[in-house]
Amino acid sequence: MSKSFARGDYRLIMTFESASTPGNWYRVLQDRQSNALSCDCPRWLHKRGEQERSCKHTEVAAQLLAPPVAPQNGLVRAQLRFRAWMDQITRSPALPPLAFDETPTLPTTPHTQSLVTAARDQWQGLQGEWTIAERDSAVGTTMYRFVMLRLDSPTGLSGTGVVAFAHSHGTQTARLIPGVAGWAGYNVAAQIAQQAGFEMVGQPPEHFKFKATRRNGGAPRIALHDILRVAERTDLGDGLTPIQRAENTLQLFLGDELYGSLQAQGHLDVPSALYGERQRVYRLKRDPSRAHYPRRIRVFEMGEYVNDYCVVPRESVPEADHLLTVFLQLMSDEESVLKVVRQYNIFPPYSDSRERERAAPVWKPRAA
Amino acid sequence: MTTKPSQTTLTPEENELLQRWQARVASGNFSDGISGTRTIKVMGRAGDAPVAIPRITSLAALETISPEEQFAFDYADRLVQAFRSRGRAIFSAGELVSRFDPADQNDLLVLSPLAGG
């Protein structure tokens, strides 16, 4: 199997924005075994067969890896490293810097605060002090805005990410946010994860921009925040696990009395509004271990246990969330739950468990 | 307020507005006309991911609040529409809702989607 970044065979050193195409990124990676540097840019990729492949991006990154630094504390070392490195990579010292703030410091301006806030939000599980430094410098004839992002955690771990934006595409705050939070933030997270003993922190951002064509309907894919993925991150920085969050929500929406009854009895009974003439009651049972969501809704009619309906979550959610979903939907829109019940998922009683039903169903008339 | 039911990803400019709104939530510093926040909880792998949205004193105040607070309403509207269009039920104050109401004072809960097993 060939090596890949996604599998952890490479370490991300820094990221350069393409000078010709905004939103296209060249990653400079280092092979964890051989320490060789590689790049996504066409110049590096086309140098096949050469023993020592390089490009201007790998040359800059090589200097980042071994600049002279004095033995100081972590932050000062980062400051010295960034400054020394920036001095070394500037090929045209006659060019005056367009903006100058090269010492990683706490964000003090709206611009740096926005960048740091974006990174902190993107990587909510990371705790500690975020600092940032910027410098405009040329590499060859191309001017870049270099941004260094650093996190020092309370536990002594630290991570640094560097991303270079092409000046030709603009250096407005809003334009820098996705790259800083996405690329530099990813690098910070990856380093801290590795120091903590975890090899990977998930997939890095997309490094090329999907060109809008007729085939894909012209839909752009670059985006840092996706509304539909708002609930996919499990670590929200609140100290809770997904199971705990879901349990809290279940208790909040059921109320103390009903939640207490659920805890005591191990089930909730929901009288049907649509089949009142049959005195239908839906029983939602709870897994005592809370590890598995129940796949069956037990159906009672006229006091008799008559069927199991197999209703499951379509996406991965904690058990308490599934229980609450079925309960609330049966209470407020019974038809929407019954819509997923077909001939193939109606089962006889006790289809998934031999545990006998001892408690009589609780029937109360409800308005449809 | 514009709504974009098919647009679930944010542009860089919208990202910045979202960051600025989250900074306001963290600091508790709101415009006149915003009395605090309420929450949209979205069921998912996170359990229930909370999304803070402004609690407005009156619809007339929509014209006077900051761009990031206005965007927070737009974001909430797009969130509700996005999940509704994907068959997710939205629950608020004891009943299902089909659209986002900025004047509503209650929390919302985006339920998980169900399927036949």
Side-chain angles (χ1 to χ4, degrees), chain A residues 29-340:
Chain A
L29 305 178
Q30 184 180 46
D31 189 308
R32 290 181 187 269
Q33 284 188 326
S34 67
N35 291 328
L37 294 177
S38 59
C39 184
D40 294 314
C41 75
R43 184 180 176 87
W44 192 91
L45 290 173
H46 291 154
K47 280 189 175 180
R48 296 184 191 280
E50 293 188 19
Q51 284 199 345
E52 292 227 4
R53 295 165 78 176
S54 69
C55 62
K56 65 179 181 180
H57 310 116
T58 59
E59 290 170 6
V60 167
Q63 295 174 25
L64 174 64
L65 291 172
V69 294
Q72 299 278 358
N73 66 51
L75 180 58
V76 174
R77 197 159 49 235
Q79 294 170 354
L80 293 174
R81 170 175 284 205
F82 190 62
R83 181 173 299 174
W85 171 62
M86 293 305 301
D87 288 341
Q88 288 180 26
I89 69 171
T90 301
R91 301 293 180 86
S92 303
L95 279 176
L98 300 179
F100 199 88
D101 179 6
E102 61 178 13
T103 304
T105 60
L106 294 173
T108 55
T109 66
H111 168 73
T112 54
Q113 285 172 350
S114 293
L115 297 181
V116 169
T117 299
R120 185 186 293 119
D121 179 65
Q122 179 74 1
W123 304 97
Q124 288 182 7
L126 298 179
Q127 303 294 319
E129 187 175 83
W130 291 87
T131 53
I132 187 169
E134 292 182 283
R135 181 165 174 175
D136 293 314
S137 282
V139 179
T141 57
T142 306
M143 184 64 80
Y144 290 96
R145 165 70 59 88
F146 289 87
V147 179
M148 167 184 269
L149 191 67
R150 179 182 169 87
L151 174 68
D152 291 280
S153 77
T155 56
L157 305 178
S158 65
T160 304
V162 179
V163 58
F165 297 89
H167 253 269
S168 56
H169 307 316
T171 56
Q172 303 88 345
T173 306
R175 209 188 75 77
L176 302 189
I177 280 177
V180 170
W183 284 113
Y186 176 85
N187 214 356
V188 167
Q191 291 172 29
I192 288 184
Q194 190 182 22
Q195 292 168 39
F198 303 99
E199 277 304 311
M200 290 300 293
V201 292
Q203 293 301 313
E206 299 239 358
H207 62 282
F208 56 85
K209 189 172 185 176
F210 191 79
K211 284 191 177 175
T213 64
R214 284 185 191 167
R215 257 168 52 182
N216 65 11
R221 283 177 57 188
I222 285 284
L224 197 61
H225 184 97
D226 187 336
I227 290 174
L228 289 174
R229 300 176 65 178
V230 69
E232 286 190 5
R233 205 180 309 159
T234 56
D235 184 354
L236 302 182
D238 55 2
L240 299 176
T241 65
I243 290 178
Q244 290 170 328
R245 279 188 215 105
E247 193 70 26
N248 291 345
T249 301
L250 176 67
Q251 184 174 3
L252 176 69
F253 277 80
L254 289 185
D256 291 339
E257 186 177 339
L258 198 54
Y259 182 76
S261 173
L262 172 63
Q263 296 289 80
Q265 298 183 319
H267 66 258
L268 285 174
D269 281 351
V270 183
S272 169
L274 296 178
Y275 297 94
E277 77 283 1
R278 301 186 200 177
Q279 294 187 10
R280 178 183 286 186
V281 173
Y282 302 105
R283 175 161 290 175
L284 311 180
K285 293 186 70 71
R286 192 151 204 211
D287 173 28
S289 70
R290 308 289 188 264
H292 306 288
Y293 55 82
R295 297 176 61 87
R296 299 289 190 269
I297 299 173
R298 296 193 170 185
V299 183
F300 294 78
E301 290 182 347
M302 305 302 286
E304 298 292 324
Y305 180 14
V306 296
N307 279 128
D308 283 345
Y309 290 169
C310 186
V311 178
V312 300
R314 208 166 66 211
E315 296 175 9
S316 175
V317 294
E319 169 264 351
D321 272 353
H322 175 63
L323 182 74
L324 183 60
T325 291
V326 176
F327 174 78
L328 290 177
Q329 288 201 228
L330 282 174
M331 290 291 291
S332 54
D333 187 8
E334 185 178 344
E335 185 59 42
S336 67
V337 180
L338 297 181
K339 263 194 308 193
V340 305

Side-chain angles (χ1 to χ4, degrees), chain B residues 27-111:
Chain B
S27 66
N29 179 23
F30 303 113
S31 303
D32 291 341
I34 302 295
S35 59
T37 61
R38 55 191 173 112
T39 304
I40 301 179
K41 288 196 176 195
V42 182
M43 287 188 180
R45 291 182 60 211
D48 306 304
V51 176
I53 55 176
R55 195 190 299 266
I56 202 164
T57 54
S58 71
L59 284 177
L62 280 174
E63 303 298 323
T64 63
I65 59 180
S66 68
E68 57 267 23
E69 289 161 328
Q70 288 183 353
F71 176 74
F73 282 116
D74 183 49
Y75 180 86
D77 181 57
R78 286 160 65 177
L79 185 149
V80 168
Q81 293 204 44
F83 283 109
R84 285 284 301 143
S85 70
R86 282 154 180 80
R88 304 271 297 258
I90 315 281
F91 193 82
S92 176
E95 58 185 25
L96 292 177
V97 298
S98 58
R99 65 177 188 85
F100 173 71
D101 180 1
D104 189 9
Q105 301 293 303
N106 297 299
D107 293 342
L108 284 81
L109 179 63
V110 179
L111 303 181

